[in-house]
């Protein structure tokens, strides 16, 4: 049995993440998903809480055969200790999937095998592009699983993003 690890901020979780996780699930029966920068929320680049991101991910992966463990992981500002920090919060894993150069480097130095999955339509499938579309009232629904649309509707997420992205000069007396 192989238990693999995959990490992101998932602000929000999108079809690129879903595609990669479905690929990983073909090779591994258990996947640990780290929800990074777990302490951040209510910021233009990090609008959603760790709990909201856990909901998006678990609901989107409900029908998969593999077992998923979704674990919030707060930042520690010491890269040299980061892999050990992750390990202190997660079930044991043998393999890391990541295309993020820093994540690849830190786990390789620790002696863990790392595989880098190919990007899925990265130009449109990125958190940055989805948040931009939410702010501009453009179509973002096609870039995320239906479960994510549902969660963001439940928490009034687009309105939250718009409100926290305004500055106080725009508020009239
Ligand atoms: P942001 O633009 O907010 O940084 P993001 O789309 O890069 O969002 P992250 O949560 O930062 O999403 O990414 C988590 C992991 O998913 C990263 O390792 C990233 O390389 C990977 N990833 C992001 N977009 C895609 C995609 N379209 N296809 C495959 N992997 C992706
Ligand atoms: Mg990113």
């Amino acid at each position: 049995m192989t238990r693999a690890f995959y990490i992101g901020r998932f602000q929000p979780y999108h079809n690129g993440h879903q595609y990669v996780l479905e690929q990983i699930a073909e090779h591994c029966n258990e996947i640990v998903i780290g929800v990074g920068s777990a302490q951040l929320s209510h910021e233009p680049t990090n609008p959603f809480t760790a709990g909201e991101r856990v909901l998006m991910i678990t609901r989107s992966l409900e029908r998969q055969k593999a077992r998923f463990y979704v674990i919030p992981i707060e930042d520690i500002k010491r890269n040299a200790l980061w892999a050990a920090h992750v390990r202190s919060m997660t079930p044991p894993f043998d393999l890391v999937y990541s295309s993020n150069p820093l994540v690849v480097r830190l786990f390789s130095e620790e002696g863990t095998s790392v595989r880098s999955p190919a990007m899925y339509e990265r130009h449109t499938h990125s958190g940055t592009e989805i948040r931009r579309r939410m702010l501009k009232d453009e179509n973002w629904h096609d870039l995320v699983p239906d479960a994510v649309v549902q969660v963001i509707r439940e928490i009034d997420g687009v309105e939250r993003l718009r409100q926290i992205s305004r500055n106080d000069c725009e508020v009239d007396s």
Side-chain angles (χ1 to χ4, degrees), residues 84-101:
H85 169 63
V86 168
R87 285 205 175 271
S88 76
M89 302 297 292
T90 50
F93 52 83
D94 337 281
L95 181 60
V96 170
Y97 284 87
S98 181
S99 302
N100 178 299

Side-chain angles (χ1 to χ4, degrees), residues 89-158:
M89 302 297 292
T90 50
F93 52 83
D94 337 281
L95 181 60
V96 170
Y97 284 87
S98 181
S99 302
N100 178 299
L102 180 61
V103 173
V104 171
R105 182 74 203 180
L106 295 177
F107 275 113
S108 304
E109 286 190 9
E110 194 223 15
T112 305
S113 304
V114 182
R115 293 192 192 150
S116 296
M119 288 287 160
Y120 173 79
E121 298 179 3
R122 176 63 164 162
H123 183 63
T124 45
H125 290 76
S126 84
T128 303
E129 172 63 12
I130 292 165
R131 295 190 301 274
R132 189 196 67 75
R133 290 189 185 196
M134 286 174 169
L135 287 172
K136 297 278 183 199
D137 208 9
E138 291 174 21
N139 176 20
W140 55 273
H141 291 204
D142 293 348
L143 305 180
V144 302
D146 291 343
V148 172
V149 176
Q150 232 178 60
V151 171
I152 290 175
R153 191 181 298 134
E154 274 173 33
I155 62 173
D156 201 15
V158 174

Side-chain angles (χ1 to χ4, degrees), residues 13-114:
Y13 183 79
H14 58 64
N15 286 336
H17 304 132
Q18 180 86 358
Y19 176 82
V20 167
L21 283 166
E22 284 174 2
Q23 300 288 308
I24 299 172
E26 309 242 314
H27 308 282
C28 307
N29 23 20
E30 297 203 354
I31 303 172
V32 181
I33 302 176
V35 178
S37 300
Q39 80 283 6
L40 299 181
S41 71
H42 296 78
E43 294 180 350
T45 50
N46 295 286
F48 308 116
T49 67
E52 290 161 352
R53 291 176 271 159
V54 167
L55 262 190
M56 294 177 200
I57 298 165
T58 44
R59 284 196 194 165
S60 300
L61 293 169
E62 220 157 51
R63 290 201 194 87
Q64 298 290 319
K65 259 200 344 268
R67 180 186 297 270
F68 294 90
Y69 304 91
V70 187
I71 315 252
I73 298 178
E74 294 190 15
D75 291 329
I76 54 160
K77 293 206 163 78
R78 294 186 66 177
N79 287 341
L81 301 181
W82 183 77
H85 169 63
V86 168
R87 285 205 175 271
S88 76
M89 302 297 292
T90 50
F93 52 83
D94 337 281
L95 181 60
V96 170
Y97 284 87
S98 181
S99 302
N100 178 299
L102 180 61
V103 173
V104 171
R105 182 74 203 180
L106 295 177
F107 275 113
S108 304
E109 286 190 9
E110 194 223 15
T112 305
S113 304
V114 182

